[in-house]
Amino acid sequence: LTARSFKQPLLRLSVSCAALSQCTMVAFMGVITVVMEDQGYSYSDAVFVIEMHCFAMFFPSFFTGHLVNMFGAFTINAVGVLLYVPVMVTFALGDSIDNFWVGMFLLGIAWNFTFTASTVMLTSNYREGEAERVQGINDFIIFFSAGIAAFSSGYFYDYFGWTTVLLVVGVCELCLAGLIVAAWSYREKADNQQLLSPSAPREGGAFSATKEAAAASNE
C-alpha cells in the first residue's frame, strides 16, 4: 500500500519539496558562521545572524497554519519557494552584516512556509493506515538529504568558496521551483479529488480518516 501511495504525484511533491527546503536551510546554516569568521566578523555578529534565522524559522508557525487554511498548501508552498529568490539575491549582493542577517532571516521564513505546507500536503495524500510508514519514509528522506547537504556545503566552501555554495544551492532552488510549476499544472485535477481545497475534506488521507472516526463516535 505504501508503494502505491508514493505513486501519487502530490505525495512525491510534498516529500521532495520538504527535502529540498531542508537541504537549502541546512546548507546555508552549516557554513554561514564560518563564512562570517573568514570575512572578519566577530562571534557576537555570527550569533546575531543565527538568532535572526532561528526566530524567522519558528515564529511564523503561529500563523502559517492559518495561512494554509486560508489559501491552501499549494499557494503557501509557492510563496515559500518565491522567498528563496530574495534570499539568493541578498547573499549574492555583498558580504556586509546586513546581507548575512537579512538573507538568513528570509531563509528562515521561506523554510517555514515550504516545510509546513509540504507537511500538510503529505498528510492529505496517503491512505488510511499508512501514516506511520509514509511519515517514516518521509523523515528518512528529508534528514538523510539534509545530512548530505550539511557535509557538502562545508566541502564546497572549503575547496571552492562561498560563490560556489550559492551556485549549488541555486540549482537546488531551480529544482524546487520546477517541482512547484509541475505540480501547479496538476492542481486542477487535484482540486477535483478535493485534495487541495482548505475547506474540503481530504479524501483518503489522515484528515478524512480522523473525520470519519469522529463521526462514527458521535453515532
Side-chain angles (χ1 to χ4, degrees):
L1 290 177
T2 303
R4 281 190 291 173
S5 287
F6 272 92
K7 291 181 180 179
Q8 297 186 62
L10 293 177
L11 192 144
R12 294 200 302 267
L13 171 74
S14 66
V15 175
S16 300
C17 285
L20 286 171
S21 178
Q22 186 79 358
C23 285
T24 300
M25 188 272 294
V26 169
F28 279 131
M29 198 172 183
V31 299
I32 196 69
T33 55
V34 180
V35 174
M36 293 184 66
E37 182 181 355
D38 290 345
Q39 295 292 335
Y41 291 102
S42 66
Y43 176 78
S44 59
D45 290 332
V47 169
F48 170 72
V49 169
I50 295 299
E51 285 176 345
M52 291 295 99
H53 174 63
C54 291
F55 176 80
M57 283 177 64
F58 300 111
F59 179 77
S61 298
F62 286 106
F63 55 82
T64 307
H66 297 290
L67 294 176
V68 170
N69 286 332
M70 290 175 61
F71 302 106
F74 248 91
T75 300
I76 300 304
N77 215 333
V79 170
V81 172
L82 288 176
L83 283 174
Y84 283 115
V85 175
V87 170
M88 303 301 295
V89 171
T90 302
F91 284 137
L93 285 178
D95 53 11
S96 70
I97 186 67
D98 290 333
N99 290 100
F100 286 123
W101 84 258
V102 172
M104 292 300 288
F105 185 86
L106 292 173
L107 176 65
I109 298 176
W111 173 86
N112 182 280
F113 278 20
T114 54
F115 201 84
T116 302
S118 295
T119 301
V120 173
M121 290 169 60
L122 179 78
T123 58
S124 302
N125 287 285
Y126 54 71
R127 292 177 173 82
E128 184 178 356
E130 292 186 316
E132 293 81 4
R133 284 175 290 177
V134 171
Q135 190 67 54
I137 295 172
N138 174 71
D139 290 350
F140 174 80
I141 292 173
I142 290 173
F143 292 108
F144 180 78
S145 302
I148 294 175
F151 284 107
S152 299
S153 63
Y155 173 84
F156 283 122
Y157 177 70
D158 189 32
Y159 286 94
F160 304 105
W162 176 236
T163 302
T164 301
V165 174
L166 292 178
L167 290 174
V168 172
V169 175
V171 172
C172 292
E173 296 317 311
L174 288 176
C175 294
L176 187 56
L179 287 171
I180 291 295
V181 171
W184 204 273
S185 66
Y186 182 79
R187 188 183 184 193
E188 291 185 3
K189 296 180 181 179
D191 283 339
N192 294 331
Q193 299 171 353
Q194 297 183 327
L195 291 175
L196 299 179
S197 175
S199 61
R202 273 82 168 179
E203 299 298 335
F207 291 116
S208 63
T210 303
K211 185 176 180 180
E212 290 170 2
S217 63
N218 291 333
E219 292 175 359

